[in-house]
Amino acid sequence: FLFQFDIPPNETRQIYLRLKSHDGLHEPCPILLWDQQSFALANGLRNLGIGLYFGIMLVMAIYNLFVFLVVKDRAYAYYVIYIIGFFFWLTTYFGYSFQYLWPNSYIWGNQAIIVSSSFWAVFMIQFVRSFLDTKQLVPWFDKFGQIAIGGLIFNIIFSFTGNYAIGIQIILGLGIPVCLATITAGAICFKAGFRPARYFLLAWTTLLLSIVIFVFKIAGILPTTLITEKSIQIGSAIEVILLSLALAD
């Protein structure tokens, strides 16, 4: 959010900011004071970077959609839906959906975070199950994935109760073990001689590292810097490219 203040040179102003959350959960809110010229320059560079990132994600989604239409491999379909879901979650998290799609509905803006993050996680798990053929190679992960998908679908339905904090806690409670289990499953498949698991492991480790940095930033453990703020975009862009190489392999 941007607030404009007119502060004449050599003068001071006292400014009060009130934060309210119905369930007690909100992220740290770093406050930055800009002059107009500096902000315009920084915001232009930020929008350029965001546009580049969204362009990469959309290109990879469209490319893999065309591949799916040719080869009819379900892993590609899950992958495309996963990318689109992740794309929508990030546009919602960074406020673009609120700005352009539902500017008068802040309640749905919160709820959409839960719905979109749970949605892309469902299809991410489906992609892993299909790509690694976990039913044959890693049966325990296949069953675990089904349980996690059930929990995420429940979270989507539960989000309509408006309990934002509980929804976030469910995502974190499911997300951490799913991430660790996915890396373990990838390592098992790689050890069994499944060659594309090389790209898969590298891609997943990159994304997981970026998510850890991002969560530490949200929790206030790491400061808000260019790297911590953009970590999830950098990590996910590298991940979608590496996973496309894995699928091609």
Side-chain angles (χ1 to χ4, degrees):
F1 292 95
L2 299 175
F3 302 95
Q4 185 172 341
F5 304 105
D6 293 319
I7 306 175
N10 302 317
E11 291 193 19
T12 61
R13 291 283 187 273
Q14 281 190 326
I15 297 164
Y16 297 90
L17 183 65
R18 181 171 183 257
L19 305 176
K20 181 181 178 182
S21 172
H22 74 279
D23 57 11
L25 180 70
H26 62 79
E27 292 183 26
C29 298
I31 299 173
L32 303 177
L33 186 65
W34 298 85
D35 64 69
Q36 233 171 2
Q37 186 176 1
S38 298
F39 172 76
L41 178 61
N43 196 50
L45 291 172
R46 175 182 181 271
N47 288 337
L48 183 64
I50 290 286
L52 177 64
Y53 169 77
F54 286 157
I56 290 171
M57 297 295 280
L58 285 175
V59 164
M60 297 311 295
I62 292 169
Y63 162 73
N64 285 284
L65 176 62
F66 278 115
V67 175
F68 165 71
L69 294 174
V70 173
V71 302
K72 300 294 189 297
D73 186 338
R74 280 188 302 176
Y76 280 94
Y78 294 140
Y79 183 53
V80 169
I81 299 172
Y82 154 58
I83 293 176
I84 293 171
F86 192 90
F87 173 90
F88 184 72
W89 166 72
L90 211 57
T91 58
T92 302
Y93 180 82
F94 282 107
Y96 290 102
S97 299
F98 180 76
Q99 183 177 357
Y100 296 111
L101 299 179
W102 48 76
N104 299 316
S105 182
Y106 64 90
I107 294 174
W108 168 245
N110 261 4
Q111 194 170 310
I113 292 286
I114 306 293
V115 172
S116 57
S117 54
S118 299
F119 176 83
W120 73 256
V122 165
F123 284 94
M124 181 272 295
I125 295 171
Q126 281 292 87
F127 165 71
V128 173
R129 292 176 64 207
S130 179
F131 177 75
L132 294 179
D133 192 17
T134 55
K135 197 170 186 178
Q136 299 296 326
L137 297 175
V138 199
W140 63 263
F141 180 88
D142 200 69
K143 293 176 182 177
F144 175 71
Q146 290 174 350
I147 294 169
I149 287 171
L152 290 164
I153 292 172
F154 166 79
N155 202 32
I156 291 174
I157 298 169
F158 180 76
S159 71
F160 288 90
T161 64
N163 291 291
Y164 179 72
I166 296 175
I168 290 293
Q169 288 162 4
I170 291 173
I171 289 173
L172 292 175
L174 289 170
I176 293 171
V178 165
C179 289
L180 296 175
T182 301
I183 288 182
T184 304
I188 290 170
C189 291
F190 175 69
K191 191 176 180 181
F194 184 58
R195 196 177 70 168
R198 294 177 302 172
Y199 295 110
F200 178 86
L201 275 174
L202 184 58
W204 193 253
T205 304
T206 302
L207 180 65
L208 183 59
L209 180 62
S210 70
I211 290 173
V212 168
I213 293 171
F214 193 67
V215 168
F216 280 1
K217 189 272 297 186
I218 290 174
I221 297 171
L222 291 177
T224 299
T225 64
L226 180 65
I227 298 298
T228 59
E229 186 69 27
K230 308 299 180 190
S231 64
I232 204 158
Q233 288 123 293
I234 296 168
S236 59
I238 294 171
E239 184 228 15
V240 296
I241 294 169
L242 288 172
L243 285 180
S244 290
L245 292 173
L247 281 165
D249 195 33

